[in-house]
Amino acid sequence: MFLSRVRTLVAVVGVAALLGACTGSGRSGLTELQFVGRIPGINSAGGSVVVDGVRANLSSLEGTSLGSVAAGNRLLVIGDSILAGTASRYGGALCSAVVPLGWRVAVEAEAGQLVGFGRTVLRDRIYEGWDAAVVFLGTNYGGSKENYERDLARIVESLAPRPTLLLTATLFRDSMQQVNEVIRVVASRNSHVSVLDWGTASVQPGLLNKDRVHPTNAGRAVLVSSIASALGTAPETPGACLPAKYTDDSLVEDDVMPATTLPGDTIPYGTTAPVATTVPASSTTSTVAGATTTSVRP
């Protein structure tokens, strides 16, 4: 119990260091952070935060927390501009949220990319010993439901049996409903896949920019907190922010990305020395067998 409390405290401090100063404890056991709000227990998917004085729900998790079934702590995150905005080159919000939980995470996300980008990343990096994955590709929808389902299914099948988290997209146009339908169909066919419903959570007041697609600073706080909550504690430590190979955001206009670009605390690519945030290890670990190889070509 003591170690569990220590892990949760370290995770909260990690988010606070990035997004604001800790201002004390509120009611219901939630910690209030300046500009971010109250962060619930990091393992409680579907909780809420208070952002700029307004309570916002975290994205609901449909399925199993990845940390409860992953065989190790190496996490590959694949996405477009929405996740790129949480990468180290824009301040490292995602690393700050999940590294204290013990995850060794690489964020491979580029602005403007379609779902096929996921297959490109996997062809390049899938054999690097990943234990779990997060995939958020669909906002840049090409308009063909069949093609989207084909590519997403191939991504998911290539990652099997690694636990994989798919995020739903914001319904900023009618056709995006097709994207979310495919995500849930693909998830229903693959037992290693869970779904995080960012599409529903994102439409809460103050979480999206005027384009109704890209998160505000508050929206990114809710997004990374939701992902961290869905991941839960990694089965081993220490965590680290691993290097990314895909960092070209030139496909979109500059104003859709975060206004401030900050250097992230990331291991330089091609090096092996860890830059890690260590958290106390749990006295017991329950995992299922995970794979570091794949039988389906991305």
Side-chain angles (χ1 to χ4, degrees), residues 44-61:
S44 57
S48 63
V49 293
V50 177
V51 181
D52 296 335
V54 178
R55 183 176 296 274
N57 292 326
L58 296 184
S59 305
S60 61
L61 176 64

Side-chain angles (χ1 to χ4, degrees), residues 3 5 10 50 59 69-71 87 122 133 153 180-181 195 200 219 233 253 255 262 272:
L3 291 176
R5 289 177 178 271
V10 171
V50 177
S59 305
V69 293
L122 289 177
N180 291 344
E181 289 173 358
V195 175
T200 297
T233 304
E253 298 177 358
D255 61 359
L262 299 173
T272 57

Side-chain angles (χ1 to χ4, degrees), residues 21 27 59 81 91 131 137 143 231 258:
R27 291 176 292 179
S59 305
S81 58
D131 300 299
L137 290 166
L231 291 173

Side-chain angles (χ1 to χ4, degrees), residues 83 94 98 134 165 167 196 222-232:
L83 283 182
L94 188 56
V98 305
V134 175
L165 184 68
L167 276 71
L196 188 64
V222 173
L223 176 61
V224 300
S225 295
S226 296
I227 293 173
S229 182
L231 291 173

